[in-house]
Amino acid sequence: MPFLQRERAVLEAHLPGLDAALAAHPLDRLETAPSPALAAFRTAGGPGLLVPRALGGRGISALEAVRIQRAVGARCPSLAVGSTMHHFSVAGLVRSAVPGGAEEQLLTAIAADGLLLASGFAEGRAGQNILKPHITAERRGDRVVLNGSKMPCSLARSMDLLTASVLLADQDGVERLAVALIPAGTPGIEVRPFWRNPVLAGAESEQVVLTEVAIDPEMVLLTEVTADAVPDDLNTAGFLWFELLLTAGYLGVASALVERVLTRPAGPPEDAAALIGGTEAAMLAVEAVARALADEEQPWDDGLLVSALTARYAAEDAIARTTRSCLTALGGMSFVSSTEGSYLASAAGALAFHPPARARMAGPLREYLDGRPLRIG
Ligand SMILES: Cc1cc2nc3c(=O)[nH]c(=O)nc-3n(C[C@H](O)[C@H](O)[C@H](O)COP(=O)(O)OP(=O)(O)OC[C@H]3O[C@@H](n4cnc5c(N)ncnc54)[C@H](O)[C@@H]3O)c2cc1C
């Protein structure tokens, strides 16, 4: 079976025409904002992939989703990043939906109208804990008012809705992490340039500024997460989806480089096992955790999240080794004559820049192995 054929078959089954639409553009065009990839994703029905079938979506499994992300990453790294933010936000909505509630109405609209969700957790400060936002949410009369900014926030220029982590005091005055859902057209939302790197620029990871943004309290979901940064069930589920989709997408980016080695017209035959071994093994680990999401009852526990993080950090190592050996195999003339190889290698390495960074998790993972609950460092 040709390399990546299984992943492209799943992509074609659920988003017919997307692979061909992406393949029709040169890589640098897809990776520059505004990227034609986002329109192609909407046209193919991408926004509704994780929306349940009963609400008009495709209702695909986690296993299908990670295979699709790998196929997408192999064509358009920026779309893999942007769509990860969308899909894991949708997965969070699905998890918190109650029959007939506001979330179900939103999910129906996402599938029917191809709405895109951005996910703003980061706030542009190195060392900031991803579960400890600085953006403020204040109850004022019958509204909740938000102030602060999120950056980088992928899909910033194309989003229809922003999901943003905020800090909200509960009735007892304890500050908890909450997730606000804000229509992109709400007065007080402004998008400013932030991303200065040409790598992954197609993901539109800009700054979103919120000034006196007033929303309905129904659109703010209070979590159980306090200053200890131990994720609750909702956040554990969110991180699980995020790590799996993200890792699969970046493995796809590295796979694009492997594919270029496998399909180049000239050169001696490669040791195929050495060439594909790292990315395939890492993808198998991602798939194993994705299968467990279907097999294990909810709420998913932190052991499963540790498995997902392990798969992700193993993928980071595999990507580093594979991209280096692929660039060597493609050779100096390939390096000199095109930016594609070095672009893909650089883009694939950005997996390490997403939360939680491996170094940050050294202490929390050690504590977890000593029997304490998993903290996100
Ligand atoms: C392509 C791309 C798209 C993105 N899109 C989004 C988005 O849509 N929404 C969003 O919310 N975020 C997004 N992000 C941002 C991301 O979520 C991160 O929050 C951000 O990149 C973290 O920046 P950092 O690595 O400098 O910070 P940190 O994670 O703080 O890391 C800085 C360095 O310090 C080390 N370090 C920090 N703390 C510790 C510690 N306690 N112990 C040991 N070492 C430590 C880290 O390992 C790292 O080397 C995106 C990032 C990328 C690359």
Side-chain angles (χ1 to χ4, degrees):
M1 180 192 284
F3 189 63
L4 291 176
Q5 182 167 303
R6 187 185 51 181
E7 288 77 7
R8 287 185 179 138
V10 184
L11 175 60
E12 189 60 22
H14 292 292
L15 301 179
L18 179 59
D19 192 56
L22 296 175
H25 295 281
L27 182 65
D28 60 351
R29 178 71 197 88
L30 289 172
E31 292 296 293
T32 308
S35 169
L38 290 179
F41 178 72
R42 278 196 218 253
T43 305
L49 267 185
L50 290 184
V51 174
R53 281 185 204 175
L55 302 177
R58 305 283 323 186
I60 64 168
S61 68
L63 180 61
E64 290 172 308
V66 294
R67 289 181 174 167
I68 286 176
Q69 285 311 96
R70 187 182 185 191
V72 166
R75 292 283 185 222
C76 179
S78 290
L79 181 59
V81 171
S83 61
T84 289
M85 305 305 168
H86 169 85
H87 293 316
F88 107 94
S89 305
V90 170
L93 274 179
V94 172
R95 197 186 173 286
S96 42
V98 288
E103 288 90 352
E104 282 206 351
Q105 287 174 20
L106 255 176
L107 287 163
T108 306
I110 289 166
D113 304 332
L115 305 183
L116 281 180
L117 269 66
S119 165
F121 275 67
E123 294 178 355
R125 294 184 195 91
Q128 179 203 355
N129 188 308
I130 203 75
L131 291 182
K132 294 181 183 171
H134 287 85
I135 198 164
T136 58
E138 197 188 316
R139 289 192 174 89
R140 272 193 230 155
D142 62 351
R143 312 297 277 168
V144 171
V145 179
L146 310 173
N147 279 289
S149 85
K150 293 289 181 185
M151 62 201 133
C153 180
S154 303
L155 302 177
R157 297 199 184 279
S158 299
M159 65 180 176
D160 298 289
L161 289 156
L162 168 68
T163 50
S165 59
V166 301
L167 205 57
L168 184 69
D170 64 12
Q171 274 85 350
D172 307 323
V174 178
E175 288 195 317
R176 293 181 189 277
L177 176 84
V179 180
L181 200 62
I182 315 151
T186 309
I189 294 193
E190 187 198 344
V191 177
R192 293 184 190 158
F194 180 71
W195 195 263
R196 308 219 182 276
N197 193 331
V199 179
L200 296 171
E204 303 179 354
S205 308
E206 309 293 4
Q207 178 182 17
V208 181
V209 182
L210 294 92
T211 311
E212 294 286 290
V213 172
I215 57 171
D216 193 320
E218 254 201 27
M219 302 302 265
V220 185
L221 190 69
L222 200 59
T223 76
E224 296 300 316
V225 181
T226 57
D228 60 8
V230 173
D232 64 355
D233 292 346
L234 181 69
N235 279 282
T236 299
F239 269 115
L240 264 165
W241 277 105
F242 177 70
E243 301 302 331
L244 295 179
L245 296 168
L246 185 80
T247 306
Y250 279 101
L251 281 170
V253 181
S255 304
L257 209 44
V258 172
E259 189 173 43
R260 278 160 173 75
V261 178
L262 290 169
T263 56
R264 75 196 153 149
E270 295 296 326
D271 173 357
L275 185 63
I276 67 168
T279 47
E280 290 308 298
M283 189 64 195
L284 283 169
V286 168
E287 290 187 358
V289 187
R291 284 178 205 272
L293 296 198
D295 294 344
E296 293 194 13
E297 296 226 336
Q298 294 208 43
W300 295 317
D301 63 19
D302 54 4
L304 207 50
L305 180 52
V306 168
S307 300
L309 289 171
T310 310
R312 172 198 152 166
Y313 300 141
E316 287 179 19
D317 288 344
I319 286 172
R321 282 194 309 273
T322 302
T323 52
R324 194 172 52 237
S325 56
C326 283
L327 286 182
T328 309
L330 288 169
M333 288 319 294
S334 162
F335 183 81
V336 169
S337 58
S338 163
T339 54
E340 280 204 2
S342 37
Y343 181 88
L344 290 169
S346 176
L351 174 57
F353 304 140
H354 291 273
R358 186 173 179 161
R360 297 181 73 104
M361 288 305 289
L365 280 173
R366 178 69 245 184
E367 290 165 18
Y368 173 81
L369 293 172
D370 289 339
R372 270 171 278 165
L374 183 72
R375 240 177 351 101
I376 299 295

